[in-house]
PDB file of all heavy atoms in Angstrom:
ATOM      1  N   SER A 277     114.896 104.081  93.402  1.00  0.00           N
ATOM      2  CA  SER A 277     115.093 105.414  92.842  1.00  0.00           C
ATOM      3  C   SER A 277     113.919 105.852  91.977  1.00  0.00           C
ATOM      4  O   SER A 277     113.893 106.985  91.484  1.00  0.00           O
ATOM      5  CB  SER A 277     116.382 105.433  92.001  1.00  0.00           C
ATOM      6  OG  SER A 277     116.241 104.626  90.839  1.00  0.00           O
ATOM      7  N   GLY A 278     112.962 104.933  91.735  1.00  0.00           N
ATOM      8  CA  GLY A 278     111.817 105.253  90.893  1.00  0.00           C
ATOM      9  C   GLY A 278     111.973 104.809  89.464  1.00  0.00           C
ATOM     10  O   GLY A 278     111.061 104.996  88.647  1.00  0.00           O
ATOM     11  N   ALA A 279     113.128 104.230  89.107  1.00  0.00           N
ATOM     12  CA  ALA A 279     113.337 103.735  87.752  1.00  0.00           C
ATOM     13  C   ALA A 279     112.554 102.444  87.550  1.00  0.00           C
ATOM     14  O   ALA A 279     112.440 101.615  88.461  1.00  0.00           O
ATOM     15  CB  ALA A 279     114.817 103.501  87.504  1.00  0.00           C
ATOM     16  N   VAL A 280     112.019 102.239  86.353  1.00  0.00           N
ATOM     17  CA  VAL A 280     111.204 101.058  86.095  1.00  0.00           C
ATOM     18  C   VAL A 280     112.089  99.824  86.011  1.00  0.00           C
ATOM     19  O   VAL A 280     113.277  99.903  85.676  1.00  0.00           O
ATOM     20  CB  VAL A 280     110.395 101.223  84.787  1.00  0.00           C
ATOM     21  CG1 VAL A 280     109.441 102.405  84.899  1.00  0.00           C
ATOM     22  CG2 VAL A 280     111.304 101.374  83.585  1.00  0.00           C
ATOM     23  N   VAL A 281     111.484  98.668  86.327  1.00  0.00           N
ATOM     24  CA  VAL A 281     112.217  97.395  86.314  1.00  0.00           C
ATOM     25  C   VAL A 281     111.557  96.505  85.265  1.00  0.00           C
ATOM     26  O   VAL A 281     110.489  95.937  85.501  1.00  0.00           O
ATOM     27  CB  VAL A 281     112.181  96.719  87.694  1.00  0.00           C
ATOM     28  CG1 VAL A 281     112.933  95.384  87.646  1.00  0.00           C
ATOM     29  CG2 VAL A 281     112.756  97.632  88.756  1.00  0.00           C
ATOM     30  N   PRO A 282     112.167  96.351  84.090  1.00  0.00           N
ATOM     31  CA  PRO A 282     111.604  95.451  83.080  1.00  0.00           C
ATOM     32  C   PRO A 282     111.964  94.003  83.367  1.00  0.00           C
ATOM     33  O   PRO A 282     112.879  93.706  84.137  1.00  0.00           O
ATOM     34  CB  PRO A 282     112.263  95.944  81.784  1.00  0.00           C
ATOM     35  CG  PRO A 282     113.572  96.509  82.228  1.00  0.00           C
ATOM     36  CD  PRO A 282     113.343  97.082  83.613  1.00  0.00           C
ATOM     37  N   ASN A 283     111.211  93.086  82.724  1.00  0.00           N
ATOM     38  CA  ASN A 283     111.480  91.642  82.788  1.00  0.00           C
ATOM     39  C   ASN A 283     111.413  91.070  84.203  1.00  0.00           C
ATOM     40  O   ASN A 283     112.012  90.022  84.475  1.00  0.00           O
ATOM     41  CB  ASN A 283     112.845  91.321  82.158  1.00  0.00           C
ATOM     42  CG  ASN A 283     112.902  91.714  80.701  1.00  0.00           C
ATOM     43  OD1 ASN A 283     111.953  91.472  79.952  1.00  0.00           O
ATOM     44  ND2 ASN A 283     114.009  92.343  80.289  1.00  0.00           N
ATOM     45  N   ALA A 284     110.724  91.739  85.102  1.00  0.00           N
ATOM     46  CA  ALA A 284     110.495  91.170  86.430  1.00  0.00           C
ATOM     47  C   ALA A 284     109.394  90.112  86.326  1.00  0.00           C
ATOM     48  O   ALA A 284     108.444  90.245  85.554  1.00  0.00           O
ATOM     49  CB  ALA A 284     110.080  92.259  87.413  1.00  0.00           C
ATOM     50  N   THR A 285     109.545  89.034  87.078  1.00  0.00           N
ATOM     51  CA  THR A 285     108.557  87.948  87.071  1.00  0.00           C
ATOM     52  C   THR A 285     107.461  88.250  88.088  1.00  0.00           C
ATOM     53  O   THR A 285     107.746  88.466  89.270  1.00  0.00           O
ATOM     54  CB  THR A 285     109.209  86.602  87.399  1.00  0.00           C
ATOM     55  OG1 THR A 285     110.222  86.326  86.422  1.00  0.00           O
ATOM     56  CG2 THR A 285     108.182  85.485  87.398  1.00  0.00           C
ATOM     57  N   VAL A 286     106.204  88.250  87.610  1.00  0.00           N
ATOM     58  CA  VAL A 286     105.055  88.551  88.474  1.00  0.00           C
ATOM     59  C   VAL A 286     104.146  87.323  88.498  1.00  0.00           C
ATOM     60  O   VAL A 286     103.751  86.810  87.437  1.00  0.00           O
ATOM     61  CB  VAL A 286     104.269  89.777  87.971  1.00  0.00           C
ATOM     62  CG1 VAL A 286     103.134  90.108  88.930  1.00  0.00           C
ATOM     63  CG2 VAL A 286     105.196  90.973  87.801  1.00  0.00           C
ATOM     64  N   VAL A 287     103.825  86.835  89.691  1.00  0.00           N
ATOM     65  CA  VAL A 287     102.942  85.683  89.851  1.00  0.00           C
ATOM     66  C   VAL A 287     101.780  86.106  90.744  1.00  0.00           C
ATOM     67  O   VAL A 287     101.991  86.592  91.854  1.00  0.00           O
ATOM     68  CB  VAL A 287     103.676  84.483  90.478  1.00  0.00           C
ATOM     69  CG1 VAL A 287     102.710  83.311  90.653  1.00  0.00           C
ATOM     70  CG2 VAL A 287     104.865  84.075  89.629  1.00  0.00           C
ATOM     71  N   ILE A 288     100.553  85.937  90.244  1.00  0.00           N
ATOM     72  CA  ILE A 288      99.380  86.199  91.078  1.00  0.00           C
ATOM     73  C   ILE A 288      98.700  84.867  91.387  1.00  0.00           C
ATOM     74  O   ILE A 288      98.645  83.971  90.533  1.00  0.00           O
ATOM     75  CB  ILE A 288      98.396  87.175  90.400  1.00  0.00           C
ATOM     76  CG1 ILE A 288      97.804  86.581  89.125  1.00  0.00           C
ATOM     77  CG2 ILE A 288      99.068  88.505  90.088  1.00  0.00           C
ATOM     78  CD1 ILE A 288      96.664  87.401  88.563  1.00  0.00           C
ATOM     79  N   THR A 289      98.200  84.748  92.618  1.00  0.00           N
ATOM     80  CA  THR A 289      97.601  83.495  93.080  1.00  0.00           C
ATOM     81  C   THR A 289      96.255  83.785  93.711  1.00  0.00           C
ATOM     82  O   THR A 289      96.147  84.638  94.599  1.00  0.00           O
ATOM     83  CB  THR A 289      98.503  82.803  94.114  1.00  0.00           C
ATOM     84  OG1 THR A 289      99.800  82.594  93.543  1.00  0.00           O
ATOM     85  CG2 THR A 289      97.914  81.472  94.544  1.00  0.00           C
ATOM     86  N   ASN A 290      95.217  83.095  93.249  1.00  0.00           N
ATOM     87  CA  ASN A 290      93.903  83.172  93.875  1.00  0.00           C
ATOM     88  C   ASN A 290      93.980  82.391  95.184  1.00  0.00           C
ATOM     89  O   ASN A 290      94.185  81.174  95.186  1.00  0.00           O
ATOM     90  CB  ASN A 290      92.845  82.585  92.949  1.00  0.00           C
ATOM     91  CG  ASN A 290      91.430  82.756  93.472  1.00  0.00           C
ATOM     92  OD1 ASN A 290      91.151  82.494  94.644  1.00  0.00           O
ATOM     93  ND2 ASN A 290      90.530  83.184  92.601  1.00  0.00           N
ATOM     94  N   THR A 291      93.821  83.086  96.302  1.00  0.00           N
ATOM     95  CA  THR A 291      94.011  82.434  97.599  1.00  0.00           C
ATOM     96  C   THR A 291      92.909  81.427  97.916  1.00  0.00           C
ATOM     97  O   THR A 291      93.085  80.581  98.792  1.00  0.00           O
ATOM     98  CB  THR A 291      94.085  83.482  98.720  1.00  0.00           C
ATOM     99  OG1 THR A 291      92.881  84.262  98.727  1.00  0.00           O
ATOM    100  CG2 THR A 291      95.283  84.412  98.513  1.00  0.00           C
ATOM    101  N   GLY A 292      91.763  81.520  97.217  1.00  0.00           N
ATOM    102  CA  GLY A 292      90.684  80.567  97.473  1.00  0.00           C
ATOM    103  C   GLY A 292      90.860  79.258  96.735  1.00  0.00           C
ATOM    104  O   GLY A 292      90.572  78.191  97.282  1.00  0.00           O
ATOM    105  N   THR A 293      91.321  79.323  95.480  1.00  0.00           N
ATOM    106  CA  THR A 293      91.421  78.121  94.656  1.00  0.00           C
ATOM    107  C   THR A 293      92.854  77.743  94.321  1.00  0.00           C
ATOM    108  O   THR A 293      93.082  76.719  93.680  1.00  0.00           O
ATOM    109  CB  THR A 293      90.657  78.330  93.335  1.00  0.00           C
ATOM    110  OG1 THR A 293      91.261  79.404  92.602  1.00  0.00           O
ATOM    111  CG2 THR A 293      89.188  78.676  93.604  1.00  0.00           C
ATOM    112  N   ASN A 294      93.819  78.570  94.693  1.00  0.00           N
ATOM    113  CA  ASN A 294      95.237  78.346  94.425  1.00  0.00           C
ATOM    114  C   ASN A 294      95.561  78.392  92.926  1.00  0.00           C
ATOM    115  O   ASN A 294      96.582  77.872  92.476  1.00  0.00           O
ATOM    116  CB  ASN A 294      95.712  77.008  95.003  1.00  0.00           C
ATOM    117  CG  ASN A 294      97.214  77.007  95.268  1.00  0.00           C
ATOM    118  OD1 ASN A 294      97.796  78.028  95.612  1.00  0.00           O
ATOM    119  ND2 ASN A 294      97.848  75.851  95.089  1.00  0.00           N
ATOM    120  N   GLU A 295      94.695  79.021  92.135  1.00  0.00           N
ATOM    121  CA  GLU A 295      94.981  79.206  90.713  1.00  0.00           C
ATOM    122  C   GLU A 295      96.060  80.276  90.554  1.00  0.00           C
ATOM    123  O   GLU A 295      95.990  81.335  91.163  1.00  0.00           O
ATOM    124  CB  GLU A 295      93.718  79.634  89.961  1.00  0.00           C
ATOM    125  CG  GLU A 295      93.946  79.884  88.480  1.00  0.00           C
ATOM    126  CD  GLU A 295      92.715  80.433  87.780  1.00  0.00           C
ATOM    127  OE1 GLU A 295      91.667  80.554  88.443  1.00  0.00           O
ATOM    128  OE2 GLU A 295      92.807  80.734  86.575  1.00  0.00           O
ATOM    129  N   LYS A 296      97.052  79.994  89.709  1.00  0.00           N
ATOM    130  CA  LYS A 296      98.180  80.911  89.528  1.00  0.00           C
ATOM    131  C   LYS A 296      98.243  81.396  88.080  1.00  0.00           C
ATOM    132  O   LYS A 296      97.901  80.664  87.146  1.00  0.00           O
ATOM    133  CB  LYS A 296      99.508  80.235  89.882  1.00  0.00           C
ATOM    134  CG  LYS A 296      99.630  79.763  91.324  1.00  0.00           C
ATOM    135  CD  LYS A 296     100.961  79.086  91.562  1.00  0.00           C
ATOM    136  CE  LYS A 296     101.061  78.502  92.963  1.00  0.00           C
ATOM    137  NZ  LYS A 296     101.059  79.548  94.004  1.00  0.00           N
ATOM    138  N   ARG A 297      98.683  82.633  87.928  1.00  0.00           N
ATOM    139  CA  ARG A 297      99.017  83.158  86.602  1.00  0.00           C
ATOM    140  C   ARG A 297     100.382  83.843  86.706  1.00  0.00           C
ATOM    141  O   ARG A 297     100.658  84.523  87.696  1.00  0.00           O
ATOM    142  CB  ARG A 297      97.970  84.153  86.104  1.00  0.00           C
ATOM    143  CG  ARG A 297      96.616  83.531  85.799  1.00  0.00           C
ATOM    144  CD  ARG A 297      95.766  84.472  84.991  1.00  0.00           C
ATOM    145  NE  ARG A 297      94.373  84.060  84.954  1.00  0.00           N
ATOM    146  CZ  ARG A 297      93.415  84.740  84.345  1.00  0.00           C
ATOM    147  NH1 ARG A 297      93.724  85.886  83.724  1.00  0.00           N
ATOM    148  NH2 ARG A 297      92.169  84.313  84.346  1.00  0.00           N
ATOM    149  N   THR A 298     101.177  83.660  85.665  1.00  0.00           N
ATOM    150  CA  THR A 298     102.544  84.192  85.669  1.00  0.00           C
ATOM    151  C   THR A 298     102.742  85.112  84.469  1.00  0.00           C
ATOM    152  O   THR A 298     102.284  84.809  83.357  1.00  0.00           O
ATOM    153  CB  THR A 298     103.570  83.055  85.617  1.00  0.00           C
ATOM    154  OG1 THR A 298     103.366  82.192  86.737  1.00  0.00           O
ATOM    155  CG2 THR A 298     104.986  83.604  85.669  1.00  0.00           C
ATOM    156  N   GLY A 299     103.430  86.213  84.685  1.00  0.00           N
ATOM    157  CA  GLY A 299     103.739  87.147  83.610  1.00  0.00           C
ATOM    158  C   GLY A 299     105.025  87.892  83.916  1.00  0.00           C
ATOM    159  O   GLY A 299     105.643  87.707  84.986  1.00  0.00           O
ATOM    160  N   THR A 300     105.443  88.730  82.993  1.00  0.00           N
ATOM    161  CA  THR A 300     106.645  89.547  83.183  1.00  0.00           C
ATOM    162  C   THR A 300     106.333  90.994  82.856  1.00  0.00           C
ATOM    163  O   THR A 300     105.409  91.293  82.078  1.00  0.00           O
ATOM    164  CB  THR A 300     107.790  89.060  82.282  1.00  0.00           C
ATOM    165  OG1 THR A 300     107.355  89.097  80.914  1.00  0.00           O
ATOM    166  CG2 THR A 300     108.208  87.653  82.647  1.00  0.00           C
ATOM    167  N   THR A 301     107.072  91.885  83.477  1.00  0.00           N
ATOM    168  CA  THR A 301     106.882  93.305  83.185  1.00  0.00           C
ATOM    169  C   THR A 301     107.492  93.644  81.833  1.00  0.00           C
ATOM    170  O   THR A 301     108.473  93.036  81.397  1.00  0.00           O
ATOM    171  CB  THR A 301     107.523  94.175  84.276  1.00  0.00           C
ATOM    172  OG1 THR A 301     108.919  93.857  84.368  1.00  0.00           O
ATOM    173  CG2 THR A 301     106.856  93.950  85.620  1.00  0.00           C
ATOM    174  N   ASN A 302     106.872  94.639  81.168  1.00  0.00           N
ATOM    175  CA  ASN A 302     107.384  95.037  79.854  1.00  0.00           C
ATOM    176  C   ASN A 302     108.498  96.071  80.009  1.00  0.00           C
ATOM    177  O   ASN A 302     108.992  96.322  81.116  1.00  0.00           O
ATOM    178  CB  ASN A 302     106.243  95.555  78.979  1.00  0.00           C
ATOM    179  CG  ASN A 302     105.558  96.770  79.585  1.00  0.00           C
ATOM    180  OD1 ASN A 302     106.100  97.433  80.472  1.00  0.00           O
ATOM    181  ND2 ASN A 302     104.370  97.056  79.110  1.00  0.00           N
ATOM    182  N   ALA A 303     108.894  96.683  78.888  1.00  0.00           N
ATOM    183  CA  ALA A 303     109.998  97.636  78.919  1.00  0.00           C
ATOM    184  C   ALA A 303     109.702  98.853  79.772  1.00  0.00           C
ATOM    185  O   ALA A 303     110.629  99.545  80.228  1.00  0.00           O
ATOM    186  CB  ALA A 303     110.338  98.070  77.491  1.00  0.00           C
ATOM    187  N   SER A 304     108.419  99.113  80.012  1.00  0.00           N
ATOM    188  CA  SER A 304     108.028 100.247  80.860  1.00  0.00           C
ATOM    189  C   SER A 304     107.821  99.838  82.315  1.00  0.00           C
ATOM    190  O   SER A 304     107.366 100.642  83.133  1.00  0.00           O
ATOM    191  CB  SER A 304     106.749 100.888  80.316  1.00  0.00           C
ATOM    192  OG  SER A 304     106.932 101.358  78.991  1.00  0.00           O
ATOM    193  N   GLY A 305     108.124  98.573  82.627  1.00  0.00           N
ATOM    194  CA  GLY A 305     107.958  98.092  83.992  1.00  0.00           C
ATOM    195  C   GLY A 305     106.521  97.770  84.358  1.00  0.00           C
ATOM    196  O   GLY A 305     106.217  97.543  85.529  1.00  0.00           O
ATOM    197  N   ASP A 306     105.632  97.703  83.362  1.00  0.00           N
ATOM    198  CA  ASP A 306     104.215  97.467  83.634  1.00  0.00           C
ATOM    199  C   ASP A 306     103.872  95.991  83.523  1.00  0.00           C
ATOM    200  O   ASP A 306     104.422  95.260  82.698  1.00  0.00           O
ATOM    201  CB  ASP A 306     103.346  98.257  82.647  1.00  0.00           C
ATOM    202  CG  ASP A 306     103.549  99.759  82.772  1.00  0.00           C
ATOM    203  OD1 ASP A 306     103.649 100.232  83.915  1.00  0.00           O
ATOM    204  OD2 ASP A 306     103.592 100.440  81.728  1.00  0.00           O
ATOM    205  N   TYR A 307     102.886  95.562  84.333  1.00  0.00           N
ATOM    206  CA  TYR A 307     102.306  94.227  84.210  1.00  0.00           C
ATOM    207  C   TYR A 307     100.783  94.369  84.235  1.00  0.00           C
ATOM    208  O   TYR A 307     100.235  95.343  84.737  1.00  0.00           O
ATOM    209  CB  TYR A 307     102.783  93.290  85.320  1.00  0.00           C
ATOM    210  CG  TYR A 307     102.255  93.612  86.701  1.00  0.00           C
ATOM    211  CD1 TYR A 307     101.072  93.041  87.161  1.00  0.00           C
ATOM    212  CD2 TYR A 307     102.943  94.485  87.550  1.00  0.00           C
ATOM    213  CE1 TYR A 307     100.582  93.335  88.440  1.00  0.00           C
ATOM    214  CE2 TYR A 307     102.460  94.775  88.811  1.00  0.00           C
ATOM    215  CZ  TYR A 307     101.275  94.202  89.244  1.00  0.00           C
ATOM    216  OH  TYR A 307     100.791  94.503  90.497  1.00  0.00           O
ATOM    217  N   ASN A 308     100.107  93.364  83.672  1.00  0.00           N
ATOM    218  CA  ASN A 308      98.655  93.455  83.539  1.00  0.00           C
ATOM    219  C   ASN A 308      98.071  92.046  83.448  1.00  0.00           C
ATOM    220  O   ASN A 308      98.458  91.264  82.582  1.00  0.00           O
ATOM    221  CB  ASN A 308      98.302  94.262  82.279  1.00  0.00           C
ATOM    222  CG  ASN A 308      96.811  94.522  82.173  1.00  0.00           C
ATOM    223  OD1 ASN A 308      96.084  94.352  83.131  1.00  0.00           O
ATOM    224  ND2 ASN A 308      96.369  94.913  80.989  1.00  0.00           N
ATOM    225  N   PHE A 309      97.141  91.721  84.359  1.00  0.00           N
ATOM    226  CA  PHE A 309      96.423  90.446  84.320  1.00  0.00           C
ATOM    227  C   PHE A 309      94.930  90.757  84.185  1.00  0.00           C
ATOM    228  O   PHE A 309      94.389  91.539  84.967  1.00  0.00           O
ATOM    229  CB  PHE A 309      96.670  89.634  85.596  1.00  0.00           C
ATOM    230  CG  PHE A 309      98.095  89.172  85.746  1.00  0.00           C
ATOM    231  CD1 PHE A 309      99.013  89.944  86.438  1.00  0.00           C
ATOM    232  CD2 PHE A 309      98.509  87.978  85.185  1.00  0.00           C
ATOM    233  CE1 PHE A 309     100.328  89.531  86.590  1.00  0.00           C
ATOM    234  CE2 PHE A 309      99.829  87.552  85.326  1.00  0.00           C
ATOM    235  CZ  PHE A 309     100.733  88.328  86.030  1.00  0.00           C
ATOM    236  N   THR A 310      94.287  90.139  83.204  1.00  0.00           N
ATOM    237  CA  THR A 310      92.890  90.451  82.909  1.00  0.00           C
ATOM    238  C   THR A 310      91.991  89.239  83.109  1.00  0.00           C
ATOM    239  O   THR A 310      92.459  88.096  83.226  1.00  0.00           O
ATOM    240  CB  THR A 310      92.739  90.941  81.455  1.00  0.00           C
ATOM    241  OG1 THR A 310      93.084  89.869  80.565  1.00  0.00           O
ATOM    242  CG2 THR A 310      93.651  92.125  81.187  1.00  0.00           C
ATOM    243  N   LEU A 311      90.678  89.504  83.124  1.00  0.00           N
ATOM    244  CA  LEU A 311      89.652  88.469  83.239  1.00  0.00           C
ATOM    245  C   LEU A 311      89.871  87.566  84.452  1.00  0.00           C
ATOM    246  O   LEU A 311      89.791  86.342  84.373  1.00  0.00           O
ATOM    247  CB  LEU A 311      89.588  87.620  81.966  1.00  0.00           C
ATOM    248  CG  LEU A 311      89.066  88.322  80.700  1.00  0.00           C
ATOM    249  CD1 LEU A 311      89.131  87.392  79.511  1.00  0.00           C
ATOM    250  CD2 LEU A 311      87.653  88.820  80.896  1.00  0.00           C
ATOM    251  N   LEU A 312      90.126  88.184  85.581  1.00  0.00           N
ATOM    252  CA  LEU A 312      90.325  87.432  86.821  1.00  0.00           C
ATOM    253  C   LEU A 312      88.994  87.267  87.541  1.00  0.00           C
ATOM    254  O   LEU A 312      88.226  88.224  87.664  1.00  0.00           O
ATOM    255  CB  LEU A 312      91.299  88.170  87.739  1.00  0.00           C
ATOM    256  CG  LEU A 312      92.716  88.393  87.201  1.00  0.00           C
ATOM    257  CD1 LEU A 312      93.482  89.326  88.137  1.00  0.00           C
ATOM    258  CD2 LEU A 312      93.435  87.062  87.041  1.00  0.00           C
ATOM    259  N   PRO A 313      88.689  86.081  88.054  1.00  0.00           N
ATOM    260  CA  PRO A 313      87.501  85.933  88.890  1.00  0.00           C
ATOM    261  C   PRO A 313      87.606  86.818  90.137  1.00  0.00           C
ATOM    262  O   PRO A 313      88.713  87.044  90.650  1.00  0.00           O
ATOM    263  CB  PRO A 313      87.525  84.444  89.269  1.00  0.00           C
ATOM    264  CG  PRO A 313      88.368  83.783  88.229  1.00  0.00           C
ATOM    265  CD  PRO A 313      89.396  84.802  87.847  1.00  0.00           C
ATOM    266  N   VAL A 314      86.485  87.331  90.599  1.00  0.00           N
ATOM    267  CA  VAL A 314      86.518  88.167  91.804  1.00  0.00           C
ATOM    268  C   VAL A 314      86.983  87.328  92.984  1.00  0.00           C
ATOM    269  O   VAL A 314      86.797  86.114  93.024  1.00  0.00           O
ATOM    270  CB  VAL A 314      85.132  88.778  92.089  1.00  0.00           C
ATOM    271  CG1 VAL A 314      84.689  89.663  90.955  1.00  0.00           C
ATOM    272  CG2 VAL A 314      84.105  87.683  92.359  1.00  0.00           C
ATOM    273  N   GLY A 315      87.627  87.982  93.937  1.00  0.00           N
ATOM    274  CA  GLY A 315      88.113  87.271  95.111  1.00  0.00           C
ATOM    275  C   GLY A 315      89.346  87.925  95.686  1.00  0.00           C
ATOM    276  O   GLY A 315      89.573  89.128  95.519  1.00  0.00           O
ATOM    277  N   HIS A 316      90.162  87.139  96.360  1.00  0.00           N
ATOM    278  CA  HIS A 316      91.371  87.632  97.021  1.00  0.00           C
ATOM    279  C   HIS A 316      92.600  87.029  96.344  1.00  0.00           C
ATOM    280  O   HIS A 316      92.633  85.824  96.050  1.00  0.00           O
ATOM    281  CB  HIS A 316      91.354  87.268  98.508  1.00  0.00           C
ATOM    282  CG  HIS A 316      90.259  87.946  99.271  1.00  0.00           C
ATOM    283  ND1 HIS A 316      90.457  89.074 100.031  1.00  0.00           N
ATOM    284  CD2 HIS A 316      88.932  87.661  99.370  1.00  0.00           C
ATOM    285  CE1 HIS A 316      89.324  89.456 100.575  1.00  0.00           C
ATOM    286  NE2 HIS A 316      88.374  88.608 100.184  1.00  0.00           N
ATOM    287  N   TYR A 317      93.617  87.861  96.137  1.00  0.00           N
ATOM    288  CA  TYR A 317      94.822  87.436  95.413  1.00  0.00           C
ATOM    289  C   TYR A 317      96.072  87.843  96.190  1.00  0.00           C
ATOM    290  O   TYR A 317      96.098  88.880  96.852  1.00  0.00           O
ATOM    291  CB  TYR A 317      94.874  88.063  94.022  1.00  0.00           C
ATOM    292  CG  TYR A 317      93.844  87.489  93.072  1.00  0.00           C
ATOM    293  CD1 TYR A 317      92.536  87.967  93.058  1.00  0.00           C
ATOM    294  CD2 TYR A 317      94.173  86.445  92.204  1.00  0.00           C
ATOM    295  CE1 TYR A 317      91.594  87.436  92.200  1.00  0.00           C
ATOM    296  CE2 TYR A 317      93.237  85.909  91.344  1.00  0.00           C
ATOM    297  CZ  TYR A 317      91.942  86.402  91.344  1.00  0.00           C
ATOM    298  OH  TYR A 317      91.009  85.868  90.500  1.00  0.00           O
ATOM    299  N   SER A 318      97.108  87.004  96.056  1.00  0.00           N
ATOM    300  CA  SER A 318      98.457  87.394  96.493  1.00  0.00           C
ATOM    301  C   SER A 318      99.290  87.629  95.242  1.00  0.00           C
ATOM    302  O   SER A 318      99.085  86.977  94.209  1.00  0.00           O
ATOM    303  CB  SER A 318      99.088  86.301  97.365  1.00  0.00           C
ATOM    304  OG  SER A 318      99.312  85.127  96.613  1.00  0.00           O
ATOM    305  N   ILE A 319     100.230  88.575  95.340  1.00  0.00           N
ATOM    306  CA  ILE A 319     101.037  88.969  94.177  1.00  0.00           C
ATOM    307  C   ILE A 319     102.497  88.958  94.590  1.00  0.00           C
ATOM    308  O   ILE A 319     102.895  89.668  95.519  1.00  0.00           O
ATOM    309  CB  ILE A 319     100.639  90.371  93.682  1.00  0.00           C
ATOM    310  CG1 ILE A 319      99.142  90.419  93.388  1.00  0.00           C
ATOM    311  CG2 ILE A 319     101.444  90.759  92.451  1.00  0.00           C
ATOM    312  CD1 ILE A 319      98.611  91.818  93.207  1.00  0.00           C
ATOM    313  N   SER A 320     103.306  88.149  93.903  1.00  0.00           N
ATOM    314  CA  SER A 320     104.740  88.109  94.194  1.00  0.00           C
ATOM    315  C   SER A 320     105.510  88.637  92.983  1.00  0.00           C
ATOM    316  O   SER A 320     105.151  88.369  91.832  1.00  0.00           O
ATOM    317  CB  SER A 320     105.195  86.689  94.528  1.00  0.00           C
ATOM    318  OG  SER A 320     105.082  85.840  93.412  1.00  0.00           O
TER     319      SER A 320
END
């Protein structure tokens, strides 16, 4: 419906090195991962 989803679990994975980072969305449904090495990522 377009409503934001807080507290969702977000996992990003560097497909080259299999490095993972985990976070959760805030009250506005936003997530943010910084200082990532360039490359290809999967996001669940």
Side-chain angles (χ1 to χ4, degrees):
S277 67
V280 298
V281 179
N283 299 317
T285 300
V286 183
V287 179
I288 64 170
T289 304
N290 186 313
T291 58
T293 62
N294 204 33
E295 178 185 357
K296 299 179 185 294
R297 292 195 194 178
T298 302
T300 58
T301 58
N302 61 18
S304 300
D306 298 319
Y307 70 91
N308 186 15
F309 294 92
T310 65
L311 292 177
L312 299 171
V314 299
H316 295 261
Y317 289 84
S318 66
I319 305 167
S320 66

